Structures are given as structure tokens and as C-alpha cells.
Amino acid sequence: MQRFNYKTQRMIILFGFLTIPVLLSLTFSYYPALSLFYYSFTDWSGLGWDMNWIGLDNYKEIFTKPDVFMSLKNNAYYFVGGLLQTAFSLWFAVILTSRLKGRNIFRSALFLPYVLHSVATVIMFKNVYHLDYGSLNALLREIGLASWQQKWLGNPHLVNISLAFISMWKYMGLNMVIFIGALQSIPGDIYEAASIDGATAWQKFRYITMPSIKSVLSLMLILTLTGALEAFDIPYVMLLGANGTSTFVIKTVDTAFKYQNFGLASAMAVVLLVIVLIFIVIQRKVLFREEK
């Protein structure tokens, strides 16, 4: 039996372990991405393989149709909600990393919404926002604020705010847990030294906590941006994008499956990818410049 030397054995083992992940990535990530880019230059209907090369016509249609990019204003509600969610997540994380009695119970309660399925969450909030028997209007009525009762899903000025709140409620627990992990990695000796020097709680947060979790905060903002631009499940399950709640992804899905124009939908997906990359680069260059 032939024996291989250590270097050869090492290469065989590495190649063996890497083969399956690489093949899976090529099959389910890179090939579909390249196919998406190719389809964006065709008029493919999504049925069969009958398609014609039309060049940049799909991209011209996207940038000449104002209603396509108008849907991005609805994504802005989720972005603003995501920023508020990040702030509240950090606030709760700071509180729940202190010596608070029963903090694990509060952590579990805040993380629980993330575990729930999006469809179940939307169905639950339908009962919260309902005009007649919704718990929100019932609460306002009981505390003497009956004049504040609204058609939360029927008022075009409030519907996107209501849906963005659902997203905040659902994902805040996940961000909080990530922040808790980052805060717990900061050595306690630094805070003790700051206390001896007479630093206030705000000074500790500003000069110790924030610089220490800068990379995590950068990641949270990237996830907030991408999550806002990719908002789909909550507005689609709740209202199917009706009443002015259609986001860019909902518009893309409708173009592909409702109007059977996969070529145009592919171009819209490519444009969305470019928008995400541009915002990430701007964030990294402007907000989180590396100190030289």
C-alpha cells in the first residue's frame, strides 16, 4: 500500500473537505448569480428556454419608469425603523449586561419575537391593528384616547409605519443578543479604572463602550440597510403590497411571477444588488473610516 508524505496527505484532506462546500457554492450561489445577470439582458418570460437577447433594454425600462424606484420610498420606512431598532437594541443590551436581577428572563422575552415565524407574526399583528377588535385600538379606548384610534392598515400615511414597527419588534431581540456578546467581550478592568478616575456612565459609554463595539455596530448598520432594501415578507403577507406598501422586492417578485417578465425582474434584482453595494461602500468609507 502506497503511503503519501505529510504534505500530500494534508493536501488530499484539505481538497476533500473543500470540494463539497465549493461545489455547493458554485451550484446554489455563483451559477444562479451569473444566470441572473445573463437573464437581465434577455426578454425571458420564465417559461421554457425561448429568450431573445435585448441588451440594455431592461435597464433602460427600469430607469425610465418612475414607479419602479418610487417603491424605494417604502423601503425608507424600514431603514428608519431599523436605525431605531439598532439604538433600542444597544440600549437594552447595555441594561441587560449590568447586574440586573432576572436579566435572563428579560433577555428571553426580548429574543422570543425573533424565534416566531414571520407569517405567524403578521397574523398576530393583524389582530393588533384591526379597526374593530384590534388590541391597539382597544387599549387606546380604555386609557381615554379614543380619538387616537386609527385604521392602522387602511390609512396610507400610517400603514408603512405600522409595518415597519412589526419589523422592529421582530428583529430587535437578535440585534440585542449580538450587542450583548460584544459588550461582554470588553474587559471589566477598563470600566473599573474609569470609575476610579471619576468617569460618569455616559463617559464610559462614549469613550469605552462605543469604540470597543465599533466593528459590531458597523455590521448592524449593514444588516439594517440590506434588511430595509430587501423588505418583503411582512408587507407581502400582510397586504400583498397593496395600499401603497409595495417595496422594491415585492415589485420585482410581481414583475417575475405575476407579469411573467423574468428578464426585467432579473435586471431589477441586479440594480438592487448594485444599490446595496454602493451604500455599503459609502458607509465603510464615510461613517467607519479606519484610523491611520
Side-chain angles (χ1 to χ4, degrees), residues 202-221:
W202 168 249
Q203 289 174 331
K204 293 177 185 177
F205 178 78
R206 180 179 179 183
Y207 296 108
I208 299 176
T209 303
M210 288 300 292
S212 299
I213 64 171
K214 186 177 180 181
S215 59
V216 177
L217 185 60
S218 174
L219 172 63
M220 289 296 99
L221 292 179

Side-chain angles (χ1 to χ4, degrees), residues 37-43 52-60 263 267:
F37 188 73
Y38 174 77
Y39 295 148
S40 67
F41 295 102
T42 69
D43 61 353
N52 299 311
W53 181 270
I54 59 175
L56 296 174
D57 289 353
N58 287 326
Y59 292 96
K60 292 179 182 178

Side-chain angles (χ1 to χ4, degrees), residues 10-29:
R10 185 171 178 269
M11 293 300 298
I12 293 174
I13 292 174
L14 290 176
F15 181 78
F17 277 104
L18 289 176
T19 299
I20 295 178
V22 169
L23 288 177
L24 290 175
S25 296
L26 291 174
T27 304
F28 297 105
S29 295

Side-chain angles (χ1 to χ4, degrees), residues 63-87:
F63 288 100
T64 55
K65 274 190 173 182
D67 61 314
V68 175
F69 283 99
M70 283 298 292
S71 60
L72 284 175
K73 68 180 179 64
N74 295 333
N75 293 84
Y77 288 96
Y78 296 91
F79 180 67
V80 174
L83 294 178
L84 294 175
Q85 167 193 294
T86 302

Side-chain angles (χ1 to χ4, degrees), residues 136-137 140-141 143-152 158:
L136 180 55
N137 281 339
L140 294 174
R141 184 170 57 250
I143 64 177
L145 297 175
S147 60
W148 289 19
Q149 292 178 321
Q150 297 285 339
K151 294 181 178 179
W152 301 101
L158 294 174

Side-chain angles (χ1 to χ4, degrees), residues 4-261:
F4 299 102
N5 57 34
Y6 173 76
K7 185 177 181 180
T8 304
Q9 291 179 14
R10 185 171 178 269
M11 293 300 298
I12 293 174
I13 292 174
L14 290 176
F15 181 78
F17 277 104
L18 289 176
T19 299
I20 295 178
V22 169
L23 288 177
L24 290 175
S25 296
L26 291 174
T27 304
F28 297 105
S29 295
Y30 295 103
Y31 174 73
L34 293 175
S35 299
L36 177 75
F37 188 73
Y38 174 77
Y39 295 148
S40 67
F41 295 102
T42 69
D43 61 353
W44 187 39
S45 65
L47 301 175
W49 296 104
D50 185 16
M51 63 182 76
N52 299 311
W53 181 270
I54 59 175
L56 296 174
D57 289 353
N58 287 326
Y59 292 96
K60 292 179 182 178
E61 184 174 354
I62 292 173
F63 288 100
T64 55
K65 274 190 173 182
D67 61 314
V68 175
F69 283 99
M70 283 298 292
S71 60
L72 284 175
K73 68 180 179 64
N74 295 333
N75 293 84
Y77 288 96
Y78 296 91
F79 180 67
V80 174
L83 294 178
L84 294 175
Q85 167 193 294
T86 302
F88 280 114
S89 300
L90 180 57
W91 182 54
F92 280 117
V94 171
I95 294 175
L96 296 177
T97 50
S98 62
R99 296 177 180 177
L100 180 67
K101 187 176 181 180
R103 59 184 179 180
N104 290 331
I105 297 176
F106 290 108
R107 289 178 182 179
S108 301
L110 291 172
F111 185 72
L112 182 61
Y114 177 73
V115 179
L116 297 177
H117 195 276
S118 297
V119 176
T121 301
V122 170
I123 293 174
M124 182 177 67
F125 269 90
K126 276 190 175 182
N127 295 323
V128 173
Y129 289 140
H130 196 276
L131 176 62
D132 298 323
Y133 59 80
S135 58
L136 180 55
N137 281 339
L139 175 63
L140 294 174
R141 184 170 57 250
E142 291 298 324
I143 64 177
L145 297 175
S147 60
W148 289 19
Q149 292 178 321
Q150 297 285 339
K151 294 181 178 179
W152 301 101
L153 300 178
N155 189 333
H157 301 293
L158 294 174
V159 60
N160 284 300
I161 298 176
S162 302
L163 296 179
F165 177 80
I166 301 176
S167 180
M168 288 176 55
W169 180 83
K170 177 173 176 59
Y171 295 103
M172 186 177 66
L174 175 64
N175 291 356
M176 180 198 68
V177 170
I178 296 175
F179 278 129
I180 287 176
L183 293 174
Q184 289 178 339
S185 66
I186 304 175
D189 297 341
I190 301 178
Y191 290 104
E192 293 178 4
S195 299
I196 294 174
D197 292 337
T200 63
W202 168 249
Q203 289 174 331
K204 293 177 185 177
F205 178 78
R206 180 179 179 183
Y207 296 108
I208 299 176
T209 303
M210 288 300 292
S212 299
I213 64 171
K214 186 177 180 181
S215 59
V216 177
L217 185 60
S218 174
L219 172 63
M220 289 296 99
L221 292 179
I222 291 175
L223 294 177
T224 297
L225 173 65
T226 55
L229 290 175
E230 297 171 359
F232 171 75
D233 51 350
I234 292 176
Y236 192 79
V237 175
M238 182 72 81
L239 295 170
L240 295 177
N243 197 24
T245 61
S246 179
T247 62
F248 194 87
V249 175
I250 291 178
K251 187 78 74 174
T252 303
V253 172
D254 285 343
T255 301
F257 295 98
K258 183 182 292 185
Y259 305 112
Q260 294 185 348
N261 192 341

